[in-house]
Amino acid sequence: MAKSALLKSSLAKKYWMALTGLFLCLFLIGHLLGNLQLLSTGKDAALNFNKYALFMTTNPAVKLLSYLTYFSILFHAVDGIVLTVQNKKARPVGYVKNSASSNTIWASRNMAVLGTLILVFIVTHMTNFWAVMHFDKKMPLQTVTIESEVMPGMPPQTQEMYVTVEGSYIPVAAVEQGMISIQNRTEVYRTDNNLKIAHLYKDLYKITVEFFKDAKWGLIATILYVFSMLVLAFHLYHGFGSAFQSLGLNNPKYNLLIKNFGKAFAIIVPLLFAVIPVYIHFFLK
Amino acid sequence: MASKSININLKIWRQKDAKSKGQIETYKLDNVSTASSFLEMLDQLNEQLINERKEPVAFDHDCREGICGMCSLYINGRAHGPASKVTTCQLHMRSFKDGDTIYVEPWRSKAFPVVKDLIVDRSAFDRIQQAGGFVSVNTSGRTIDANATPVPKHDADRAFEAAACIGCGACVASCKNGSAMLFVGAKVSQYALLPQGKVEATERVLNMVRQMDDEGFGNCTNTGACEVECPKGISLENIARMNREYLFASVK
């Protein structure tokens, strides 16, 4: 066996490109299903989304998958750069006249450009949401407004309450009154005996909604997000079917199925992703 | 079909030798019969150039029947010109209109260096073939009859389709990555599909792919340009088969 056969050869690069690409397609499905909860309008929409966000950032199995995703993105990008550089070198002198559109589709010729744009999107997207969720010290916490009737006939009193992971409610005012303190972003401590009594939910829902509803930048963010999904659609339009070919999965019996499934995937997944910020910006009250 | 005469403008890549810098030269050629082949048109141009005491255009050609794989030429941005599934020698001037400007360039690939004008050195393909594109047989005189080994009809047909590759290099020329994978895929497939080729299958695919990479060909990104431009209609299935063969061979 050639030692570099599964790492360095031209075919190995294709295998890794295909495997990481297909894994990222699975990631897209998972991420999309999570995001679609943002379209929910129920009373508990925010809380449910934040519960999901907590699960996605703490569950060990999900963590493992997310590390695999980071790795795949990096490997897919680096492999793509190496391929592009090598492929440019393979034709040092170009054609004066070249009619590429007569034998290939546009997306297939521009995977590197599309991929670079997607990478820029991923970095921006992770800065806007992932980094805020993981590291921002000022990350808002999930609260609910509870109405309580103090006395019959009197107008009900409203009170802002933190929702705890343990299922109880803690008045926000208790922090100001010095009865409790919040440490390490989500841990609630009693001030008198310094005991940890509860954990709070980070309000990723609020971050997301405010990001796309922002008076100044919301519209631009929405437009850029939709544009990025269009780029993703073109990338997937070629990439999905291409991955199967690279792995040697080409059989006339199934080719049409793979091709059509890939095209449907390339249109439906980015479209559903794009619907979410459009809904938040234009329709969410 | 009645033929007529057309007048054309040619923009042809002229390069003195491998080391010189080339450039596009423009020529006007009148009274080209639409019944003549593209190569006959170039012959006509060369006669004109010789009469003008100019250096004729060098181009590769041999059988002029579309089976030897010698002719090449990137015509108006496409390998073997605008017609489908034909080599340049089988392309006829009826594919062009009076007054057309036709660009003629050599194959462009690091692995196919220009020798002169439109001629490129395609010996990289020979070296890939030598790396494993064969079946070792005992020629001591005790050879067995080929038909003694049964081959399923379906496999025989696929192998034959792969073997139709004439090694012209149109796949490399039209691939945006300068990849030779359709050629190597066809050569690997033609043996891998037959029982006679199975014996050396593992080494064959590893060695041929290594040689392909060493020659400086690019990496396939499945754009499919090669399949469209191949004069012999070699299918992308062959690249997928090579991918499978290589995957299994490298973990063996």
Side-chain angles (χ1 to χ4, degrees):
Chain A
M1 175 188 148
K3 272 184 187 152
S4 61
L6 277 182
L7 274 177
K8 283 187 176 163
S9 76
S10 52
L11 292 198
K13 287 190 215 95
K14 292 173 54 143
Y15 300 148
W16 288 111
M17 206 68 185
L19 287 172
T20 49
L22 286 177
F23 178 75
L24 290 172
C25 284
L26 284 177
F27 157 74
L28 281 179
I29 296 177
H31 191 19
L32 176 65
L33 292 177
N35 283 14
L36 283 174
Q37 297 176 68
L38 287 163
L39 295 178
S40 153
T41 49
K43 186 164 62 71
D44 295 330
L47 181 60
N48 287 338
F49 183 76
N50 290 333
K51 278 183 179 171
Y52 166 78
L54 180 71
F55 170 78
M56 292 305 278
T57 44
T58 49
N59 182 282
V62 177
K63 265 193 170 166
L64 191 72
L65 281 177
S66 62
Y67 288 128
L68 208 56
T69 308
Y70 306 145
F71 170 79
S72 293
I73 293 170
L74 285 176
F75 202 97
H76 197 78
V78 170
D79 203 15
I81 292 165
V82 171
L83 281 170
T84 309
V85 169
Q86 283 186 344
N87 292 346
K88 289 267 178 254
K89 275 191 195 154
R91 178 165 295 141
V93 182
Y95 293 107
V96 175
K97 188 174 168 74
N98 192 18
S99 172
S101 57
S102 50
N103 51 37
T104 44
I105 60 165
W106 182 85
S108 78
R109 298 195 302 273
N110 291 284
M111 291 299 275
V113 178
L114 295 167
T116 308
L117 287 173
I118 293 169
L119 190 63
V120 171
F121 167 77
I122 292 173
V123 171
T124 330
H125 188 68
M126 285 179 80
T127 313
N128 292 337
F129 301 106
W130 178 87
V132 172
M133 181 73 184
H134 281 81
F135 309 116
D136 191 356
K137 295 252 178 344
K138 289 182 205 132
M139 177 87 190
L141 297 161
Q142 168 79 45
T143 57
V144 285
T145 310
I146 292 181
E147 285 188 7
S148 52
E149 214 175 7
V150 184
M151 267 206 294
M154 295 283 282
Q157 281 197 337
T158 58
Q159 201 175 10
E160 281 285 298
M161 304 282 256
Y162 285 123
V163 186
T164 71
V165 176
E166 291 76 8
S168 57
Y169 296 96
I170 297 175
V172 175
V175 180
E176 286 150 29
Q177 289 158 5
M179 290 157 70
I180 53 162
S181 65
I182 297 168
Q183 292 169 27
N184 301 326
R185 301 175 68 206
T186 56
E187 293 166 5
V188 183
Y189 285 84
R190 277 177 62 158
T191 319
D192 50 2
N193 56 10
N194 210 25
L195 274 179
K196 195 182 345 178
I197 53 167
H199 295 81
L200 303 179
Y201 291 106
K202 294 176 188 173
D203 200 350
L204 187 63
Y205 182 87
K206 189 178 174 191
I207 292 280
T208 311
V209 169
E210 282 180 357
F211 183 81
F212 288 110
K213 282 195 95 65
D214 187 82
K216 205 170 163 194
W217 297 107
L219 182 64
I220 293 168
T222 306
I223 290 169
L224 285 176
Y225 191 99
V226 172
F227 172 75
S228 300
M229 290 307 108
L230 189 68
V231 170
L232 178 65
F234 277 104
H235 197 75
L236 290 172
Y237 197 82
H238 173 70
F240 192 91
S242 180
F244 285 85
Q245 165 78 4
S246 287
L247 292 171
L249 301 169
N250 176 320
N251 183 324
K253 252 189 218 167
Y254 309 111
N255 282 350
L256 198 66
L257 181 74
I258 293 171
K259 208 173 143 189
N260 289 338
F261 183 84
K263 285 179 179 176
F265 186 89
I267 295 166
I268 294 168
V269 170
L271 183 72
L272 288 174
F273 267 114
V275 160
I276 298 162
V278 170
Y279 166 76
I280 291 174
H281 183 80
F282 292 103
F283 302 103
L284 187 69
K285 290 283 179 288
Chain B
M1 189 168 18
S3 69
K4 52 176 188 168
S5 282
I6 55 172
N7 302 331
I8 52 170
N9 296 302
L10 291 158
K11 289 194 177 283
I12 299 179
W13 183 263
R14 302 303 306 266
Q15 185 171 334
K16 194 161 164 274
D17 52 43
K19 289 190 183 103
S20 307
K21 207 172 166 289
Q23 74 286 320
I24 292 277
E25 296 277 350
T26 307
Y27 304 98
K28 205 172 149 30
L29 189 63
D30 293 339
N31 293 319
V32 179
S33 165
T34 53
S36 64
S37 75
F38 199 86
L39 296 186
E40 284 167 339
M41 179 277 292
L42 286 179
D43 293 336
Q44 192 181 334
L45 170 72
N46 278 347
E47 274 181 45
Q48 179 179 308
L49 289 174
I50 291 164
N51 286 335
E52 292 167 357
R53 298 283 183 271
K54 284 180 187 159
E55 177 89 6
V57 178
F59 61 92
D60 268 328
H61 60 103
D62 192 3
C63 78
R64 301 208 178 194
E65 296 184 307
I67 54 164
C68 76
M70 200 60 201
C71 62
S72 55
L73 305 187
Y74 213 67
I75 302 162
N76 271 349
R78 295 184 70 179
H80 295 297
S84 157
K85 289 189 185 169
V86 291
T87 50
T88 293
C89 62
Q90 299 284 291
L91 173 70
H92 287 81
M93 294 312 291
R94 66 181 79 97
S95 295
F96 300 92
K97 292 194 301 291
D98 190 45
D100 270 2
T101 297
I102 305 168
Y103 281 81
V104 190
E105 295 173 76
W107 285 172
R108 293 297 189 190
S109 160
K110 188 188 166 207
F112 290 164
V114 173
V115 177
K116 182 181 169 68
D117 293 340
L118 301 171
I119 296 179
V120 295
D121 178 359
R122 283 172 281 184
S123 57
F125 270 12
D126 298 339
R127 290 188 290 276
I128 294 173
Q129 192 73 0
Q130 285 153 11
F134 50 79
V135 173
S136 304
V137 281
N138 190 347
T139 51
S140 63
R142 293 165 60 199
T143 50
I144 52 161
D145 188 88
N147 291 329
T149 312
V151 181
K153 176 81 168 98
H154 179 265
D155 291 350
D157 286 349
R158 296 292 89 76
F160 189 84
E161 282 163 20
C165 168
I166 52 175
C168 66
C171 45
V172 175
S174 45
C175 174
K176 81 174 185 66
N177 309 316
S179 168
M181 290 203 191
L182 193 67
F183 168 76
V184 183
K187 296 303 172 191
V188 164
S189 291
Q190 120 186 28
Y191 299 106
L193 284 159
L194 298 176
Q196 292 89 338
K198 293 258 195 289
V199 185
E200 293 158 304
T202 305
E203 283 167 53
R204 175 182 304 113
V205 69
L206 291 175
N207 290 340
M208 288 181 84
V209 169
R210 190 195 305 121
Q211 189 64 38
M212 169 180 79
D213 290 350
D214 288 349
E215 295 290 348
F217 289 106
N219 306 285
C220 173
T221 56
N222 307 322
T223 68
C226 54
E227 184 185 48
V228 175
E229 300 298 351
C230 175
K232 295 295 153 189
I234 306 291
S235 154
L236 285 180
E237 255 180 78
N238 293 295
I239 299 184
R241 189 176 293 106
M242 171 179 68
N243 295 345
R244 285 200 294 276
E245 289 277 322
Y246 189 84
L247 189 58
F248 292 129
S250 29
V251 292
K252 254 183 196 171

